[in-house]
Amino acid sequence: MSVIQRLSRLLYVLSLVLAASGSGLHGRNNSVSHEYCVLGAGPAGLQMGYFLSRSQRDYIILERNTGPGSFFHIYPRHRKLISINKIYTGRRNKEFNLRHDWNSLLSDRPDLLFQRISQELYPSADDFPRYLSMFVKELGLKVKYGADIGRIKTSDLNGNQGYILTDQNGVSYQCSVLLVSTGLWVPQQVDFLGSDLVEGYESIPTDPEEFKDQAVLILGKGNSAFETAQSILGRASRIHLYSPSPVRLAWQTHYVGDLRAVNNELLDTYQLKSLDGLVEGRLEDIAIVRREKDGGKRRTLYLTLTELLDDQNGNNISKVTGQNLPGYHTDNFSLRQPYDRVIRCLGFRFNFSIFDGSARPPQSSGARGRLPGITACYEGRGTPNMFVLGTAAHSRDYRMSAGGFVHGFRYTVRAVHKILEQRYHNIAWPATELSISQLQSWILRRVNEASGPYQMFGVLGDIILLRGSYCEYLEEFPLQALPQLSALSGRLLSDHGLLVLVMQYGLNQTDTLGPGRAESEWTKAWRSNFLHPVLYYYNTLPTEKDMRQRPVSWPLPRPEAVHHMVEDFLTEWDQPISHSQPLRHFLEHCLQTDLRAFYAESCFLLSLTSRTPPLFCRQGYLRKQGIVGNSHLWQHAREAGLMADHQGDTSVSEYLKHAGAAVVSAMNFDL
C-alpha cells in the first residue's frame, strides 16, 4: 500500500470518527433539534424542565455556566438570602407547608425540599445552587452546561415560527418552542455626568473593613442597596441612600420585592439621627464630580445637580474637578458633604442583546423597561412560540404579587406548562369533577391549604366551571388570561356560568401596624385589608374589553356577584359562623340550590315529605350512602339487611376522605 493510499485510508477513518462523534452531539450540520429549548438552568428553567420531563417531552436545558443557579454564586453579594425557609409550621400537610417555604421547587418527590440543604430561616446564598444541583441530579433533568447562547433568531418550521439558538462554539439548537428563563442579571445603569466614577454593586468589595471611616453614597433604595448599607453600617462614617422614590417597606406594601425588615437597620440610624440618611431625587439630573486632595493622593466625590455645573459638555466628566461647583452648592444642600465612594445598587435588567430582529421581545411598559413584554399567558408579545419564565416574566405582576421570586414563579411555570400541553399536545387543563354538594368543602380545603393562589395572590386563581348538578374545578389559572380560558385550557363554558376563587389583599389604605388595621366582623368582610379569599361569579366569560376596563387594582372585572371571606389572623378560614355559613349562602345564591348538609335521619324525613329533597340527600343518602365514611354505620346497615354487601357509589366517601372534610359545615383542618 502506497503512502498516498495509507494517508487516504487514515483520513477516511478520521472522517468516520468525527462524523460519529458529531452525530451524537450536534448532528451532521453541527446542529441539534428539540421540541422545547429551555434557556437557563436557574430555578425557573429547572422547574420547567421537571414538568417537561414528567410529560416525556423532547427538551434540552441550555446553561452557559458549569452548574445550575450560577446567579446565586455571586448574588446577593453579602451571601444572605431573604427568602423565608420556615420549616416548622406545626403542620404535616405538605401543600400547606409550601406557603412558608420560599426556596423549594415543585416536584412529585415530597423529600426534594430545600430544607434538606439548610434549616436556617434566611439561608446562605451558597446553599441554593447546591439545592438546584440536587434537584437536577435526583430527577435526571436534561441540562447541557457550557452552552453560552450568543444569538437567537427565528426560523420557519413547517409554517410555524421556531427558533435557532447559536452558542459560542457555533453549535445551533433548533426548537419549535423556546422557553426563556435567563432571569435578570445585567446591572441596571443610569447615564449621568460622572457616572464613570461610580462603583457597581456587582463588583464592590464585601469586606466591611475596606469601608472603615469612609463616607459612602449609595444610589438606590431597594434590597441590594440596603443590604450593602447594612454590611458596612458599623464601619462607614456616613451612609446616604439616594433614588427617585421614597423607601417602600415590604410589611406595608405586601410586596416581597420591597425593603425587607432583615435589611433595614439603617432606618434606625437615619430616624435616630446617627449620621445616616435617605434622600429623593432624579438620577438623571445629578452629577458626580471629584476633587483631588493631598497633592492628588486622596480623591473625594461630590454629588450636585447637572444644571449647577459651569461645564456640562459630555457625559463622561471624570476629569471635571470640584472647582466647577458653584458656591451656593454648599448652602444647606442635603448632600453637600463629600464622599469617599459612590456605589450603584439599582438592580438588574433582562438581557435583550442576544435576540435578533423578530426574535426580540419588546420592552415592558412598566419596571423602567427592564423586563420583556409578554402576554397574559406568558408568551412574548410579537414572538409566537416563545415563552418567558421566572423573574424575567415579572412584568405581568410587577409590584403586585410574587411572580419575580421562586416562591411565586414556581406556580406560574406550572401554569405555563399546562398551557403548552393544551396548545401543542391537545391535553386539556387538569380538572376535578365534583358534585355541587361537594363544592363548598372543596373550596374551604383550597383556601386553607393551597399554596399557589396564596403566593400568587391576585394573579393565579381557581376556576369553577358550573355544569348544573356538578362542576369542573381547575386550579391556578392565570387570571389575566381569563377571556382566553377555553382556548388555553381546552375546557368549555356552559350556560350555568363560572366561579373564580382568588386570594387578594384589601384595597383600602390603612396603617398596617395601627389599631383597627384588620376586620373581624364577617358582615363587613369586604373591608378586609389583609390576605383573604374572594369569590367572583360570572354568568358569561369576561371579554378582553372587560379585562381592560376593570376597576383600578381589581384582579378581575365586576362580576354578577362577589363574596369576600373575612380576613383571619391565623389565615384559617374554618369557622362555621364567620366562614362556612356565609360561603354556603353565597354559593346557594349563585347556584339557586340548597347546599346544606344533613344527617341520615333528616334526609329520611325530607325524602318522605318533599318532592325534591335537598341536593345533599339526593347525592348521598338516596344513593344509599347514609352518613359518609362511618364504617360502623355501614356494617350496621348491612347486618340489618338495609344494604347490599358492597358499598355502592363511594365517590362522595372517597372525596371527603381525600379532602379531609366532615359531612357537616364545620371542618377539621388540623392535618
Side-chain angles (χ1 to χ4, degrees):
M1 183 180 296
S2 67
V3 174
I4 294 178
Q5 289 175 321
R6 284 197 293 269
L7 182 59
S8 299
R9 179 75 176 269
L10 180 61
L11 290 174
Y12 174 71
V13 172
L14 181 60
S15 67
L16 291 178
V17 172
L18 291 175
S21 61
S23 62
L25 293 174
H26 312 304
R28 293 181 179 179
N29 297 316
N30 207 34
S31 66
V32 291
S33 296
H34 293 279
E35 185 175 12
Y36 296 95
C37 287
V38 182
L39 186 57
L46 298 184
Q47 184 67 87
M48 178 55 78
Y50 161 73
F51 290 118
L52 293 173
S53 178
R54 189 180 64 173
S55 300
Q56 298 182 332
R57 303 301 173 203
D58 173 26
Y59 77 95
I60 187 68
I61 302 174
L62 301 172
E63 169 57 46
R64 63 188 181 128
N65 292 290
T66 58
S70 58
F71 180 89
F72 296 92
H73 284 299
I74 305 173
Y75 306 108
R77 292 301 311 280
H78 301 91
R79 314 312 295 145
K80 186 176 185 179
L81 297 177
I82 57 174
S83 49
I84 293 173
N85 182 40
K86 189 176 181 65
I87 62 177
Y88 299 109
T89 66
R91 302 289 190 93
R92 295 188 299 273
N93 187 299
K94 295 180 175 61
E95 177 68 13
F96 173 87
N97 287 341
L98 279 172
R99 291 182 170 187
H100 311 286
D101 174 353
W102 289 12
N103 298 282
S104 295
L105 299 182
L106 307 176
S107 75
D108 54 5
R109 288 272 305 277
D111 63 323
L112 198 51
L113 301 175
F114 184 77
Q115 62 183 255
R116 281 176 55 183
I117 299 296
S118 173
Q119 297 192 353
E120 296 295 322
L121 182 62
Y122 295 108
S124 165
D126 295 321
D127 292 332
F128 200 61
R130 291 173 53 210
Y131 169 70
L132 296 180
S133 296
M134 180 178 73
F135 193 84
V136 170
K137 180 179 179 180
E138 296 194 14
L139 293 174
L141 302 184
K142 300 175 183 177
V143 184
K144 181 175 182 181
Y145 298 110
D148 188 359
I149 301 300
R151 183 187 182 194
I152 299 175
K153 64 180 182 180
T154 59
S155 66
D156 182 86
L157 297 177
N158 300 319
N160 297 315
Q161 181 164 303
Y163 295 88
I164 297 177
L165 293 71
T166 305
D167 69 12
Q168 76 278 21
N169 298 316
V171 180
S172 296
Y173 305 85
Q174 182 169 281
C175 51
S176 303
V177 182
L178 174 58
L179 304 167
V180 180
S181 55
T182 54
L184 309 180
W185 60 270
V186 179
Q188 174 78 358
Q189 301 190 42
V190 176
D191 287 331
F192 53 82
L193 298 178
S195 58
D196 60 308
L197 299 172
V198 174
E199 301 174 70
Y201 170 73
E202 65 278 4
S203 59
I204 58 171
T206 56
D207 182 1
E209 293 298 326
E210 296 203 25
F211 296 84
K212 188 175 180 179
D213 202 29
Q214 293 184 358
V216 180
L217 173 65
I218 298 176
L219 305 180
K221 293 199 194 87
N223 278 297
S224 63
F226 274 88
E227 165 212 326
T228 301
Q230 183 133 323
S231 71
I232 62 175
L233 202 56
R235 293 293 181 270
S237 61
R238 171 168 36 96
I239 305 174
H240 292 162
L241 275 67
Y242 183 92
S243 74
S245 303
V247 64
R248 290 179 286 239
L249 303 169
W251 52 265
Q252 287 182 324
T253 64
H254 310 301
Y255 175 59
V256 68
D258 284 336
L259 177 60
R260 303 287 300 286
V262 70
N263 281 331
N264 72 8
E265 291 181 13
L266 182 133
L267 295 182
D268 265 9
T269 58
Y270 169 41
Q271 291 295 323
L272 298 177
K273 304 309 292 180
S274 187
L275 298 178
D276 305 318
L278 310 176
V279 181
E280 284 72 55
R282 277 171 45 90
L283 293 172
E284 293 83 356
D285 296 338
I286 68 173
I288 303 293
V289 298
R290 67 180 179 180
R291 176 175 292 171
E292 306 292 346
K293 289 187 176 182
D294 300 332
K297 295 181 180 180
R298 183 184 174 198
R299 182 191 73 172
T300 58
L301 303 174
Y302 288 85
L303 180 144
T304 187
L305 299 179
T306 306
E307 62 185 20
L308 300 180
L309 293 177
D310 296 333
D311 181 6
Q312 303 176 24
N313 296 323
N315 286 333
N316 186 326
I317 61 165
S318 58
K319 296 182 180 180
V320 176
T321 65
Q323 280 72 20
N324 294 71
L325 294 175
Y328 51 81
H329 163 87
T330 62
D331 187 28
N332 203 33
F333 177 51
S334 300
L335 305 180
R336 60 184 179 270
Q337 292 295 328
Y339 297 94
D340 294 290
R341 55 207 314 170
V342 180
I343 303 173
R344 166 182 39 80
C345 297
L346 302 175
F348 300 91
R349 61 185 299 109
F350 182 74
N351 182 20
F352 291 91
S353 66
I354 60 175
F355 297 89
D356 281 358
S358 60
R360 182 182 294 112
Q363 292 178 299
S364 63
S365 57
R368 302 187 298 277
R370 296 186 301 120
L371 303 169
I374 56 177
T375 67
C377 63
Y378 296 87
E379 189 172 18
R381 295 190 181 278
T383 54
N385 305 319
M386 184 182 80
F387 294 81
V388 182
L389 310 175
T391 303
H394 194 29
S395 60
R396 291 310 309 180
D397 64 310
Y398 182 66
R399 299 201 54 77
M400 295 187 299
S401 194
F405 313 91
V406 174
H407 66 287
F409 65 62
R410 61 190 179 192
Y411 302 104
T412 58
V413 169
R414 179 163 64 184
V416 170
H417 177 256
K418 293 175 182 177
I419 292 172
L420 300 179
E421 289 291 287
Q422 164 59 23
R423 178 185 292 191
Y424 301 111
H425 309 287
N426 201 31
I427 298 177
W429 195 286
T432 302
E433 186 174 308
L434 305 168
S435 67
I436 289 299
S437 63
Q438 301 168 0
L439 180 57
Q440 177 185 347
S441 56
W442 194 273
I443 289 175
L444 288 172
R445 168 180 169 263
R446 288 288 293 170
V447 301
N448 283 282
E449 174 184 309
S451 58
Y454 188 90
Q455 299 291 18
M456 288 304 298
F457 52 87
V459 175
L460 298 181
D462 290 356
I463 311 297
I464 304 162
L465 301 178
L466 303 175
R467 309 289 193 199
S469 63
Y470 73 99
C471 64
E472 291 181 350
Y473 199 106
L474 286 65
E475 298 179 358
E476 300 168 20
F477 188 84
L479 296 178
Q480 296 172 24
L482 190 60
Q484 309 166 47
L485 174 68
S486 297
L488 297 178
S489 70
R491 306 282 177 178
L492 300 177
L493 191 68
S494 74
D495 295 337
H496 297 278
L498 73 157
L499 290 161
V500 183
L501 174 62
V502 188
M503 300 291 288
Q504 62 186 71
Y505 282 92
L507 302 179
N508 303 315
Q509 297 295 322
T510 183
D511 182 353
T512 52
L513 294 180
R517 58 186 175 270
E519 182 59 58
S520 58
E521 176 56 52
W522 68 267
T523 58
K524 300 178 181 178
W526 58 275
R527 297 177 59 180
S528 296
N529 291 313
F530 292 90
L531 194 66
H532 64 286
V534 184
L535 273 159
Y536 296 77
Y537 171 67
Y538 298 95
N539 288 325
T540 59
L541 200 64
T543 65
E544 296 283 0
K545 181 179 179 181
D546 293 333
M547 289 297 296
R548 289 193 301 270
Q549 296 180 348
R550 68 187 187 272
V552 177
S553 299
W554 282 41
L556 291 168
R558 293 188 183 276
E560 275 69 45
V562 64
H563 174 67
H564 290 254
M565 296 179 68
V566 67
E567 60 188 330
D568 187 80
F569 179 73
L570 301 174
T571 60
E572 295 176 356
W573 292 273
D574 58 358
Q575 297 304 296
I577 296 176
S578 295
H579 304 128
S580 299
Q581 185 171 285
L583 173 61
R584 177 173 62 80
H585 286 315
F586 173 75
L587 293 176
E588 288 177 339
H589 168 74
C590 297
L591 304 175
Q592 295 296 297
T593 302
D594 187 345
L595 295 179
R596 288 176 294 174
F598 297 88
Y599 288 108
E601 295 90 332
S602 299
C603 285
F604 176 72
L605 179 62
L606 291 168
S607 299
L608 295 176
T609 59
S610 174
R611 291 179 180 271
T612 56
L615 183 63
F616 182 88
C617 296
R618 298 200 306 271
Q619 294 184 338
Y621 175 80
L622 293 180
R623 291 183 181 178
K624 301 180 180 180
Q625 289 183 322
I627 297 179
V628 178
N630 191 319
S631 59
H632 296 290
L633 288 176
W634 285 109
Q635 182 66 23
H636 176 74
R638 285 194 293 270
E639 292 175 353
L642 299 176
M643 294 188 63
D645 289 339
H646 61 83
Q647 293 185 358
D649 184 2
T650 61
S651 60
V652 177
S653 175
E654 289 300 316
Y655 152 72
L656 288 174
K657 178 181 178 183
H658 175 66
V663 295
V664 293
S665 295
M667 301 183 67
N668 175 21
F669 287 99
D670 187 18
L671 303 178

